Structures are given as structure tokens and as C-alpha cells.
Amino acid sequence: MKILQINASPRREAGNSTKLANSVSERLVAAHPGSTVTLRDLGTTPVTVLDETALGALFTPAEQRSAEQAAVVAEYDALIAELQAHDAVVLGVPMYNFGVPVQLKAWIDAVARAGVTFRYTEKGPEGLVKGKTVYLALARGGLYRDQPHDSQTPYLKTVLGFLGLTDVRLIYAEGLNMGPEAAAKGFAQAEADLAAAIG
């Protein structure tokens, strides 16, 4: 198994979502000996934001692109190829203001490309990145699981499904900023989720 681990926390190794993602990858490797893990740390190496320049590059024929435009497209192409080349994706995601960090949103914008990772048909959109399992390692300071104010999980499941990534398994560590007892309970719940998701 080829595992792509994407850490979205700006706190990098100090982030609870990073620690949780590390645990997911370790559990996967233990369950599938010989597996390899490719690490992409968005806090260390942020993705170029999809701004006017980047968007213009995508809509400019390759032979007409400036050096700056060609570099952006090459970066996005590499991220898409990396995603396509792996069997499983582990996403370490903290909750920031009820959403995902800007670093992860930039990655999503880079890999979501019409005609490559999704397409529109007469029946609606079709995801083209199929046959992979995604493990969402979600770290939150409060309690949001299965609550109406959890806007993060539905968004991630929707955008991943849009790309064809429909096998999404959720691992939650919550209540991490609510005191030592709540944090311990949150990490214990994450262990239970891990066991259910991987075994």
C-alpha cells in the first residue's frame, strides 16, 4: 500500500492533528506490512493559492504560458499526480473557525481540476480519483462530532466525494482544549475510531 499523509496544521509536528495523522499512518503500516508513506506537510511547504495568476495559468495554452504561469501549473500537476499515485490518503486536519486551515484549502483548490480529477457529464459531476480510501484525522478543541455546528466534516466529505473519493473514514480527537480529562477522553475516542477504521 502506498500511503499519502497530508498534514494541514501550521503548527506542523506540534499540532494535535499531525500527531493523530501520524498514528493513522503507523496503524496502516502495521496492518499492511511493506507499505510506504509519502509525507506532504502543508505547513512547511504551502501550496500556491489559486489566485488570479494561477487561475489564468490554467486557462492559458501551455505554449503561451509565462515562466511564472508554467511553474504554477507544474506545481498543481505534481500534486494531482501524487494524489493519483497513492492507494490511501491520510489527512491531518485541525478545525480553524469552523473550517479547514487555508493551507488545506489551497491544496484542495490545486487538485480539483475539471477534466482531470472530476468532469461534468449530462448526469452531473463525476469524480475521477477513484479506488482510494481517505482517513480524516480530525483534531478539535471543542466538541463538534455529529453536531449541527460541525461545518468542517460535511465540507470535506462533499469535496472529497466530488473528486471520487467516497470511501472516507473518520477519526476524531475532540475536546482537546477543554481540560486534561476531556483531552484524555478525546484521544481515547480517537483510538477507538482508529480500531474501527483500520482494525
Side-chain angles (χ1 to χ4, degrees), residues 76-154:
Y76 289 5
D77 285 348
L79 293 171
I80 291 171
E82 182 177 66
L83 174 62
Q84 293 170 328
H86 289 79
D87 307 301
V89 181
V90 177
L91 280 176
V93 187
M95 177 180 276
Y96 285 0
N97 301 314
F98 300 97
V100 300
V102 65
Q103 290 84 353
L104 180 55
K105 182 60 168 63
W107 179 85
I108 290 169
D109 288 341
V111 301
R113 189 186 304 174
V116 181
T117 55
F118 71 91
R119 66 181 177 183
Y120 287 104
T121 72
E122 63 278 2
K123 295 181 180 179
E126 176 190 2
L128 301 177
V129 186
K130 300 178 180 179
K132 306 178 190 301
T133 302
V134 179
Y135 298 87
L136 287 181
L138 302 160
R140 285 95 174 267
L143 302 174
Y144 301 93
R145 184 176 191 163
D146 300 325
Q147 297 299 312
H149 52 282
D150 181 5
S151 54
Q152 185 188 55
T153 305

Side-chain angles (χ1 to χ4, degrees), residues 1-5 20-37 87-91 133-136 169 171 194 197-199:
M1 177 184 288
K2 295 177 68 176
I3 303 161
L4 173 61
Q5 179 179 329
L20 188 56
N22 289 341
S23 295
V24 176
S25 292
E26 290 166 7
R27 185 74 66 95
L28 283 171
V29 171
H32 303 276
S35 296
T36 59
V37 179
D87 307 301
V89 181
V90 177
L91 280 176
T133 302
V134 179
Y135 298 87
L136 287 181
R169 306 183 188 188
I171 298 97
L194 263 173
I198 301 172

Side-chain angles (χ1 to χ4, degrees), residues 2 6 12 18 21 26-27 33 37-38 47 54 64 73-74 78 83 91-92 103 115 120 163 167 170 184:
K2 295 177 68 176
I6 300 171
R12 303 190 295 180
T18 300
E26 290 166 7
R27 185 74 66 95
V37 179
T38 301
V47 175
Q64 297 177 23
V73 175
L83 174 62
L91 280 176
Q103 290 84 353
Y120 287 104
L163 300 179
D167 183 2
L170 306 173

